[in-house]
Amino acid sequence: MQIDIVKDYDILSKKAAQIISAQIIQKPNSVLGLATGSTPIGTYRELVRMCKEGIISFADVVTFNLDEYYGLDEDDPQSYHYFMREYLFKEIDIKDANAHILDGKAADVEAECRRYENCIKEAGGIDLQLLGIGQNGHIGFNEPGENFEALTHLVNLHPDTIRANARFFNSIDEVPTQAITMGIKTIMRAKKIVLLANGESKAEAIYQTLKGKITPRVPASVLQLHPDITVIIDEAAAVKL
Ligand code: F6R
């Protein structure tokens, strides 16, 4: 595990974008696992810049997002489909058919989860998975207590997660209570992982993830076992290390 503690969010974003762009240059048809939330916004901004300047191209890149709220239509401004379009996809040269996100409106959720896993397998597996982390140590929407063996599945969001994500909605009552997420096993199968965290609100989760016991109570702690992970955190997220 490589741990990079950087001064601020701007440097964190640039470092993460450097790793992703190097991956794309080395393998133009890379399969990327992507995250949403506040943390990767700066990274996506950098990738957009590099793409517009002709440094990298997403023409042959394939992406799989970690998760989607259950019950939200892809045109809902709170959906992760919408988020990805706004912050990344509409600004780069990725082909629509290559940008995969779970269908939050799927009538048969189990079939949707199986379809997604098969699609990842057919693409050759994820080369590089980008992750943020919840204040409760979740990755994707794998909440504390989730089985490390799980593949893509439907989850009930933890009240902490609903509270943390309420900032994106008009009121807490509008936050969906369920989501579909890649499982821990899906994430652990990625060949390379880059975990990002910034701000003091993530300090305890980062401490537990990097220095604590490996336990499903802190889902991200399983990452200690991954053979190729880079953790990039700012000084505020590193205060407890
Ligand atoms: C989002 C995701 C979540 C977030 C986490 C942190 O796709 O999978 O695990 O990475 O909730 O969210 P932010 O970055 O908003 O603090």
Side-chain angles (χ1 to χ4, degrees):
M1 178 181 280
Q2 182 174 332
I3 303 173
D4 251 354
I5 301 173
V6 298
K7 189 146 188 55
D8 56 32
Y9 179 70
D10 192 45
I11 301 172
L12 173 150
S13 302
K14 287 188 173 130
K15 286 220 164 199
Q18 272 164 16
I19 296 174
I20 296 167
S21 54
Q23 169 71 39
I24 295 171
I25 288 166
Q26 282 162 33
K27 186 181 174 202
N29 61 347
S30 285
V31 180
L32 303 179
L34 299 179
T36 54
S38 311
T39 312
I41 289 177
T43 306
Y44 294 154
R45 196 181 307 126
E46 273 298 297
L47 290 174
V48 166
R49 181 187 63 76
M50 284 193 235
C51 186
K52 287 194 193 278
E53 288 177 7
I55 300 167
I56 51 170
S57 167
F58 289 81
D60 295 320
V61 169
V62 176
T63 64
F64 288 91
N65 263 78
L66 277 166
D67 41 22
E68 177 57 287
Y69 285 119
Y70 184 58
L72 292 195
D73 191 83
E74 62 173 66
D75 290 325
D76 189 308
Q78 308 293 357
S79 74
Y80 288 166
H81 277 82
Y82 192 93
F83 176 101
M84 290 308 299
R85 268 199 307 276
E86 284 302 304
Y87 287 103
L88 187 64
F89 297 151
K90 74 171 195 202
E91 306 287 348
I92 59 174
D93 58 346
I94 194 164
K95 296 185 182 86
D96 283 350
N98 284 350
H100 303 275
I101 307 184
L102 282 151
D103 177 6
K105 291 290 264 187
D108 184 341
V109 179
E110 278 181 26
E112 172 61 4
C113 295
R114 273 196 306 276
R115 182 195 68 79
Y116 208 62
E117 287 289 336
N118 283 336
C119 215
I120 295 173
K121 202 181 281 171
E122 276 164 24
I126 292 170
D127 292 306
L128 188 157
Q129 175 68 56
L130 183 65
L131 293 177
I133 183 170
Q135 289 171 28
N136 65 3
H138 74 208
I139 44 175
F141 274 135
N142 294 281
E143 299 286 32
E146 287 262 359
N147 182 344
F148 284 161
E149 305 275 297
L151 293 171
T152 299
H153 62 299
L154 181 72
V155 290
N156 295 323
L157 297 177
H158 193 280
D160 291 346
T161 302
I162 293 175
R163 261 193 303 278
N165 288 2
R167 69 190 194 279
F168 298 113
F169 293 79
N170 291 326
S171 90
I172 194 162
D173 302 330
E174 286 180 19
V175 186
T177 55
Q178 291 184 303
I180 315 178
T181 181
M182 283 186 196
I184 297 280
K185 188 168 178 172
T186 323
I187 294 170
M188 286 295 279
R189 281 176 175 166
K191 294 171 192 110
K192 184 193 269 290
I193 293 180
V194 177
L195 172 69
L196 307 180
N198 66 290
E200 207 168 338
S201 68
K202 301 291 173 70
E204 180 61 24
I206 283 296
Y207 173 75
Q208 294 297 337
T209 295
L210 305 185
K211 304 283 180 201
K213 204 170 130 216
I214 300 172
T215 164
R217 285 198 302 279
V218 182
S221 64
V222 74
L223 298 173
Q224 290 178 31
L225 301 175
H226 195 278
D228 187 354
I229 170 158
T230 301
V231 180
I232 311 175
I233 48 181
D234 71 353
E235 286 175 356
V239 286
K240 297 202 171 169
L241 294 180

